[in-house]
Every structure is written in structure tokens, then in C-alpha cells.
């Protein structure tokens, strides 16, 4: 490759594109399927029930405490598959690069994708690169699509919540949103808060091994815990009653949210999940979660009610309030 | 939805995003899998050998003679699957929208995706929407990923060309590139040239039914016919000898290329394919192609040689020249 920045020829489909693929993408992501350089990746079907999921990533800034757009793009799609009960296996990645973007930054991002995909046990088997003129993009956008296989007998879904079931959360909320905002605004918090960006498929596998009939799994990403719970309540035709005191929250995140006027319930996470299961399985599920490094701080945070569509919370002071969806936009480009 | 333009809340993952999905995306693309609104699409595995392919679409302008970014995003990925010999079945679509983009234009684009997917016989089963600030994107970018199944006994691939084989082309070259450029530059050609944007899976199915042992299938998109043939020559370790007089070219495209200083061999196509097969099957394959509406102008344009990596052409005037890869960028953002 000539030069140290992306130029329009890198998106032309000619020699410069081929060089970029060979010298940068394949170096970090290489595997026999990707290296075949076909128009698509040929894979052996891993089972009967498959899951496909896609997510665009436009986070700003590209590098933030605890991660970057590369690890986020891998983990985000791995987690969407895991929330369906699937074992994530294959990813594709589409890059939209802005002319002038430093190749060193792209190299760092793609290296991070390689590390994240190895950590999650998935392979990036197909990719695509396009380039847009300076001022028509913003550094790099990455759209990842994942394919996973759902083991027999496993079928969590957003419609599965039933009154009386227990609501569990795998750990502290708001870490990702506060970490990104602190970097974006150059805020200087006393404690450095890291994004929780992580692949949850290992945690989910441990949970399903303990309690195969988990009814609902959902990762509270953009929109935060409140959006995830409202989606579940709406789709399942149930209500959810939360206990604020039980919701894990780092003191530093609580302080930052207070300072910035954010509600931690609306603040994004990238390595947390909500699980809903029959009440008599909640203790076993909680134990399985707490035994996994990514579920150490897991807690039972509430229960499912019959008040369709209502997500309510008993506050730490004993009051009650509705937990509504975010109306406007709390933090744009958080993922 | 309030307002008639995309705003940042449409990408927030809250209520505005949900409204956009319900009122616009699901209206045009709805099917039972997409409507389930899960984190991913659960599908039954369609067979043993699967193909995954992804492509980002950043074409400018978004609407052009013969198509738009919506039909292009569907057909482009359908064609990548078809080139692997696969029957395309499922697509995912990730949208990156620029704040301020007119909802009416988005509606038109998504309607076009719906029409193209129905025409190609594929379902869009999962999607994602992100929004970036005005000036950080360019209207809309669409990344589509496709899943297809490869029938038993079918295995075209870019490494399959062998000396002596015949090289076929399904129709005229350069239509897409010239159509887009004419619109972009507001050029006024006497004949309106339309993009050839089309789904090739039906043509490929007819071809494979006639000649199951097609060695190579490739669609000459960005980079044009020259890039596709050079990729094949390099990957297969062979040469290719072309006969210029045999390459189908519309007079209007030839004239436009002459005027604009473009080489039709480097000019993009979105509804054409190159096929390479044993010489003794070439007549049968040509007949099958010509019997299909998208292969009416198909021709045998050359043969595979043993001169590794060399793509050469006998010109219409009897001379010979190398057909090299595009060095720089002919037309940025052509797909």
C-alpha cells in the first residue's frame, strides 16, 4: 500500500482494494474461508435452527476506554446471536471508510476485531470495503452480520415473559454509556470508567446449561435497561416490577450520571444482559451467572407482573415510578 | 413518526426507532421472521452447504436511471450468492442514515428493496438502523448480507478456470457505470442509458440446470470486466485471451465511454456475469443463457490460456493488448 491514509482507490475494487484486503484485513482476520477471496463464504451448515443478526456500528469516538469500534462490532453482533440462545459461529464485516482515514488507526481497529473474534470463538468469513469522500463519512463505520446455531430445546424470545417470572441482570448498568461520553466530552472523572464491551456467549452458554428454559434474554444496549424491559413488556404483553436497590450500579457511574443529568436506566451497556426465567429457577440461574466472570455482580432485580406494558420501579427511597422508554436521544452514536 | 426528515432520535434505540421500524421498514419488507422483532432472525437451515456474503452500498447519487441504492443493495448481495452457485434465500440490511435525510426518500428506497427482494425470491429477515449527524454521512448507506444454499454437486469458484475452457459473458458491459455517471454529472446523452441492476439468481439457476459443472461464475461489478477477469486469472493461475469484437456493448455506452474517456472494460456492471466452463459445454451454456431474459445478449468472449496471470485481448482492429486491472479509481461510489 502506498501512503498512510485511505484514499478513494481503496474502494475502487481494483488493485488498491486487493492490496488493502491482503495486507491489512487478511493479516488480522485471516482464516481459510476468508482467504479463499470468493464473492461469498462457503460454510457447512452447523445445525437445523440458525440465527442471523446484523448491526451497524457508528460509535464516536472510535477508540474509548475499554474498547473501540472493532471490538464493539464483533461483540455487539455476537451478543445479538447469544440473546437468541444461539452459539455464534460466523461473522461478516462491511467497512465504510472515509477518505483520509489513517491506515494505522484502521490497522488498530481490525487487529482489535481479530482479537475480539478469537476471544468470542467466532470467525470473520466474509467482508467488504467501500470508501466515501472526506466529509461524507466519519472515519469508519462497520456493519457486522452474524450466523449462529440454536441448540435443540433452547428457545428464548422477547415474547416469552409470563407473570410471576423473575427478572435477572448480569451486572452493573451504564458503564459503556458513561465511558464513551467521558471520552467524547473530554470529561475528567476521578475514577476511570471502562466500557463493559464484551462477548456474552460464554455467559449465556453457562446460564443455559444451568437453566435450559430461560424465557427471555436481551442485552440492554442503546436505550439502556429501560428500553430492553419495555420491549419485553410490550412483546410479551406483561408488566415488569423492578426494585431499584437491587440494580447493580458502580458508584463512579452513579456519580457521573448525577453530574451529567443522565438516568442510568437509559444509559447504554455493551456487555450486560437481562434474563427472565420461572421463579423457581431464579436461584439456580443467579448462581450460574455469578459463577461466570461476566456475571459476577448478577442480581435478581424484579419480577414479571400481569399489568400489560407497564414497567414500574420501587425506588431506593420506597416510592414508585414508571420506567418509560427514552423519548428523545440520550447519547447519539453510542454503538 | 413526527416530522418528515430523519433526526438523531431515529437511531437512539428508543421509541422513535421502534416507530420507524414499524411504520416504514416493516410496511415494505414485512414477513413473519422480520416482524418477530427479535435481536436476530431464527431460520431453518436450508441445507448442508451454505454461503454468506456481505456488501456495503454507498452509491451516489442514490437514485439513478434503472435503479436506486435499495434495488442495488438487494441485487448486489443476491448476485454475490448466485456467483457461488447458491440459491439466495435470506438477507439482512443495516442502514446508516444521515440526520436530515427526507423520510419520503427513505420510504422510496425501502419500497424498492421490498420489490427487488420479492423479484429475486429472497426475504429480508433482520435489519438495523443507525443515524449519524448531518455532514458525517451521505444520505443513506446500506450494508446487506445474504445467506444462500448451494445445491449438491455445484461448486463454481474463482480458482476453477483451466486452460482451454471457454469464457462467456451474459450481456452488454458498462451500462451501470455510464448510467450512474450520466446522472451524477448531469450529462445529457441522446439515448438514455439505464443501469443493468438486476438479480442474476434466476439466470444462474437456468445455467446450472444446463451445465452443472460451470467452473467459474463472477459478476463484473466495480472494477468492471477487467477486474473480474484478472481476479480469476490470478486465483486460478491461468491466463485469459479475449476477443474484443465478441464483447457485447451498447452503441450508446460505447459513445458515452468515448466521450468521457472511460474504458468499458473497467466500467461497472450490476446485472452481468462472466462464466467459464469446459469448451465442449460452451454451446449448451450459451444457449441456456440466451434463452433467459437477462442473458439474451450473451456471447462467448474468449478462452482460458496457460499464460498465468495474463489477461490479453485481440482488438477489433486485429491488434493485441494487455487488459490490466484498474490502477487508480475510475468512478468512485459506483455501488
Amino acid at each position: 500500500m502506498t501512503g498512510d491514509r485511505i484514499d478513494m482507490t481503496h474502494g475502487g475494487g481494483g488493485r488498491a482494494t486487493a492490496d488493502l484486503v491482503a495486507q491489512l484485513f487478511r493479516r488480522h482476520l485471516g482464516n481459510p474461508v476468508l482467504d479463499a477471496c470468493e464473492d461469498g463464504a462457503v460454510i457447512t451448515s452447523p445445525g437445523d435452527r440458525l440465527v442471523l443478526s446484523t448491526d451497524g456500528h457508528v460509535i464516536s469516538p472510535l477508540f474509548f476506554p475499554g474498547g473501540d469500534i472493532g471490538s464493539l462490532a464483533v461483540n455487539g453482533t455476537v451478543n445479538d446471536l447469544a440473546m437468541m440462545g444461539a452459539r455464534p459461529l460466523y461473522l461478516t464485516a462491511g467497512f465504510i471508510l472515509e477518505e483520509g482515514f489513517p491506515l494505522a488507526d484502521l490497522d488498530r481497529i481490525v487487529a482489535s476485531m481479530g482479537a475480539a473474534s478469537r476471544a468470542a470463538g467466532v470467525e470473520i468469513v466474509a467482508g467488504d470495503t467501500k470508501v466515501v469522500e472526506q466529509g461524507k463519512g466519519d472515519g469508519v463505520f462497520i456493519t457486522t452480520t452474524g450466523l449462529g446455531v440454536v441448540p435443540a430445546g433452547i428457545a428464548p424470545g422477547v415474547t416469552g415473559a409470563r407473570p410471576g417470572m423473575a427478572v435477572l441482570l448480569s451486572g452493573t448498568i451504564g458503564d459503556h454509556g458513561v465511558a464513551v461520553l467521558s471520552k467524547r466530552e473530554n470529561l475528567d472523572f476521578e475514577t476511570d470508567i471502562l466500557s463493559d464491551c464484551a462477548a456474552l456467549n460464554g455467559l449465556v452458554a453457562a446460564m443455559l446449561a444451568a437453566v435450559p428454559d430461560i424465557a427471555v434474554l436481551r442485552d440492554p444496549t442503546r436505550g439502556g435497561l429501560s428500553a430492553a424491559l419495555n420491549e419485553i413488556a410490550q412483546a410479551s404483553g406483561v408488566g415488569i416490577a423492578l426494585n431499584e436497590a437491587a440494580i447493580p450500579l458502580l458508584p463512579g457511574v452513579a456519580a457521573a450520571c448525577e453530574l451529567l443529568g443522565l438516568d442510568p436506566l437509559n444509559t447504554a451497556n455493551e456487555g450486560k444482559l437481562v434474563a427472565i426465567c420461572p421463579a423457581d429457577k431464579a436461584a439456580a440461574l443467579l448462581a450460574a451467572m455469578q459463577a461466570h466472570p461476566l456475571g459476577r455482580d448478577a442480581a435478581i432485580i424484579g419480577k414479571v407482573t400481569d399489568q400489560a406494558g407497564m414497567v414500574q420501579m420501587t425506588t431506593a427511597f420506597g416510592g414508585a415510578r414508571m420506567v418509560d422508554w427514552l423519548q428523545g436521544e440520550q447519547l447519539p452514536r453510542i454503538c
Side-chain angles (χ1 to χ4, degrees), chain A residues 92 97 115 118 132 142 146 171 176 187 283 301 317:
Chain A
T92 67
L97 306 175
R118 285 186 293 276
V132 295
I142 307 176
H176 176 73
L187 299 174
I301 62 166
F317 305 106

Side-chain angles (χ1 to χ4, degrees), chain A residues 159-167 229 232-243 276-277 279 301-314 322:
Chain A
T159 60
R162 297 290 174 270
M165 285 182 169
V167 180
L229 295 177
I232 295 166
Q234 196 164 82
S236 295
V238 297
I240 292 175
L242 294 175
N243 174 11
I276 296 181
C277 75
I301 62 166
K303 64 178 179 189
V304 180
T305 71
D306 58 8
Q307 294 188 274
M310 306 273 275
V311 181
Q312 292 171 292
M313 185 166 75
T314 303
M322 293 294 297

Side-chain angles (χ1 to χ4, degrees), chain A residues 40-62:
Chain A
V42 181
I43 53 178
T44 301
S45 178
D48 291 336
R49 256 197 319 156
L50 308 179
V51 177
L52 267 181
S53 186
T54 196
D55 251 331
H57 298 86
V58 299
I59 193 163
S60 173
L62 297 170

Side-chain angles (χ1 to χ4, degrees), chain A residues 205-295:
Chain A
M207 291 166 64
L208 287 169
V211 180
D213 55 339
I214 296 173
V216 181
L217 286 169
R218 201 84 172 176
D219 55 339
T221 55
R222 56 178 171 165
L225 184 62
S226 61
L229 295 177
N230 273 283
E231 278 169 31
I232 295 166
Q234 196 164 82
S236 295
V238 297
I240 292 175
L242 294 175
N243 174 11
E244 184 174 27
I247 299 174
L249 184 63
L250 290 175
V253 171
C257 284
E258 183 89 25
L259 187 71
L260 299 166
L262 301 177
D263 184 341
L265 291 174
N266 292 337
T267 304
N269 312 278
E270 287 293 341
K272 297 293 157 30
L273 61 81
V274 172
I276 296 181
C277 75
D280 61 349
K281 308 281 180 69
L285 187 57
L286 182 65
M289 292 168 78
Q290 289 176 338
H292 190 281
L294 293 177

Side-chain angles (χ1 to χ4, degrees), chain A residues 59-69 108 175-189 191-195 256 260 262 331 333-334:
Chain A
I59 193 163
S60 173
L62 297 170
F63 301 95
F64 51 84
D68 56 60
I69 192 171
R108 202 174 142 200
D175 305 14
H176 176 73
V178 167
V180 172
L181 190 65
S182 68
K183 173 80 179 178
R184 190 186 296 172
E185 308 293 342
N186 285 314
L187 299 174
D188 205 14
F189 297 118
T191 310
D192 278 337
I193 295 156
L194 298 182
S195 166
L260 299 166
L262 301 177
L331 295 175
R333 300 182 60 186
I334 203 72

Side-chain angles (χ1 to χ4, degrees), chain A residues 90-158:
Chain A
Y90 301 108
L91 296 187
T92 67
F95 294 82
I96 298 176
L97 306 175
E98 184 187 10
E99 179 187 20
F101 188 65
L103 279 168
D105 284 353
L106 183 61
D107 191 84
R108 202 174 142 200
I109 288 165
V110 178
S112 168
M113 293 184 79
S117 59
R118 285 186 293 276
V122 297
E123 281 189 335
I124 297 174
V125 292
D128 179 65
T129 306
K130 295 292 188 309
V131 179
V132 295
E133 304 86 346
Q134 205 145 28
K136 300 292 187 182
D138 195 15
V140 53
F141 302 141
I142 307 176
T143 301
T144 44
T145 306
L147 179 73
V149 62
V150 190
I154 301 297
V158 71

